[in-house]
Amino acid sequence: MTTLIPSLSEISRNYRAVFCDLWGCLHNGQTPFPTAVTALQKFRAEGGTVVLMTNAPRPFGSVAAQLERIGAPRDCYDMIVSSGDAAQYALVTGAVGFKVHHIGPEKDLAFFTDLPPDLLALAKQHPPVERVPLDQAEGIVCTGPFDDAIDTPEDYRATLLYAKTKGLKLLCANPDIVVDMGEKRIYCAGALAQAYDAMGGESLYFGKPHPPIYDLARRKLAETVGSIPNDEILCIGDGPRTDVMGGISEGIDTLFITGGIEAKQFGPDAAAPDPALLERWLAQEQLSPSYAMGHLR
């Protein structure tokens, strides 16, 4: 059974670390949520470690810069682990080849250039990764639509069909299907990878709910504060098929933020989900998060 709780502090004493999602939990792409910021600050003040775990396709430094731009205070988290971080290893080791066609906006080019020292050293042991036109590519790297304000997966159908005929693998740097940018819902790389899979192509995933990003988060925790067992970690997120499913698959307790991407499923007040609607929806989706609340607070 999923327990509805009023605040993170209700259960925080049970955990030494949280893996907290960004979009829909800490911010909406434009501004941070004050109650979420306060909840994470309080958790840290009581000795907990906050790992911001995001399916952003950019490395952690680029994500940190974005958080600073929108006004999220640095003292609400300890470290960032991104899908981009987890996918860069596959990039430099040629998981989809070394001549790759990039589907994604210019803002995501840091995925190719902003490598940590260990990956820079590893990259020197392999051929350099080159971004090339599709007809010259050995594989595809997808970080998102070229223009997420207007593009849909259907706009990429011809490109993906051509890639499938060439037998190209697609490295998906962000498994999210959609996120809400303020009041607007936009497609992510996961939507394009999903479309590619549906037409018989092969996509490789590294963010939530897939193991590589959790493995990376555990390694970063161990390097910083020491090894923390799964039963002392809490996953927080609003994505049922990413945050919740990922946490459950990893054997980690999960806190489902119902007021995010699925807010309309649980009644008119996003901050106060209807318990009956929530129970029915979770049964329908065959999900069993440990806890739920409307907004992170």
Side-chain angles (χ1 to χ4, degrees), residues 9-252:
S9 62
E10 183 85 3
I11 57 172
S12 60
R13 64 187 178 279
N14 299 325
Y15 303 100
R16 292 169 55 197
V18 297
F19 293 167
C20 185
D21 185 40
L22 293 183
W23 289 67
C25 293
L26 180 59
H27 66 71
N28 64 359
Q30 297 175 330
T31 184
F33 303 136
T35 59
V37 169
T38 300
L40 296 180
Q41 288 172 328
K42 184 176 181 182
F43 183 77
R44 292 188 70 235
E46 294 172 350
T49 300
V50 173
V51 180
L52 297 183
M53 180 181 282
T54 172
N55 272 351
R58 298 174 301 284
F60 71 89
S62 178
V63 176
Q66 180 195 23
L67 290 174
E68 184 176 1
R69 284 195 300 273
I70 67 173
R74 181 61 184 82
D75 66 352
C76 74
Y77 66 93
D78 293 278
M79 64 191 80
I80 299 170
V81 175
S82 74
S83 179
D85 294 329
Q88 282 181 321
Y89 178 89
L91 173 74
V92 302
T93 55
V96 296
F98 295 99
K99 296 181 183 294
V100 300
H101 179 65
H102 178 217
I103 298 176
E106 286 191 14
K107 68 180 181 179
D108 291 343
L109 291 181
F111 177 75
F112 297 91
T113 59
D114 187 6
L115 299 174
D118 60 330
L119 286 189
L120 281 173
L122 183 62
K124 292 178 181 178
Q125 303 173 28
H126 297 274
V129 175
E130 301 178 56
R131 289 183 292 115
V132 299
L134 182 60
D135 61 357
Q136 300 173 27
E138 300 168 345
I140 295 175
V141 172
C142 182
T143 60
F146 289 115
D147 187 346
D148 58 19
I150 58 174
D151 289 358
T152 70
E154 185 62 27
D155 296 322
Y156 296 83
R157 181 171 177 77
T159 296
L160 296 177
L161 281 171
Y162 178 72
K164 177 182 172 291
T165 64
K166 292 190 66 180
L168 304 186
K169 293 181 181 179
L170 184 151
L171 188 160
C172 176
N174 175 0
D176 283 349
I177 306 299
V178 294
V179 295
D180 289 331
M181 172 71 81
E183 299 299 318
K184 182 177 177 59
R185 183 154 293 186
I186 60 176
Y187 286 101
C188 303
L192 276 62
Q194 185 182 65
Y196 194 50
D197 291 340
M199 61 178 63
E202 181 181 357
S203 301
L204 307 180
Y205 300 89
F206 297 86
K208 297 173 288 185
H210 305 279
I213 194 168
Y214 296 93
D215 294 342
L216 179 58
R218 290 189 188 96
R219 290 200 302 273
K220 284 199 169 187
L221 267 180
E223 292 167 1
T224 306
V225 298
S227 180
I228 297 179
N230 280 352
D231 61 3
E232 295 182 8
I233 301 173
L234 177 71
C235 288
I236 304 173
D238 69 318
R241 296 297 162 191
T242 51
D243 307 304
V244 176
M245 183 178 289
I248 292 172
S249 297
E250 292 291 319
I252 301 174

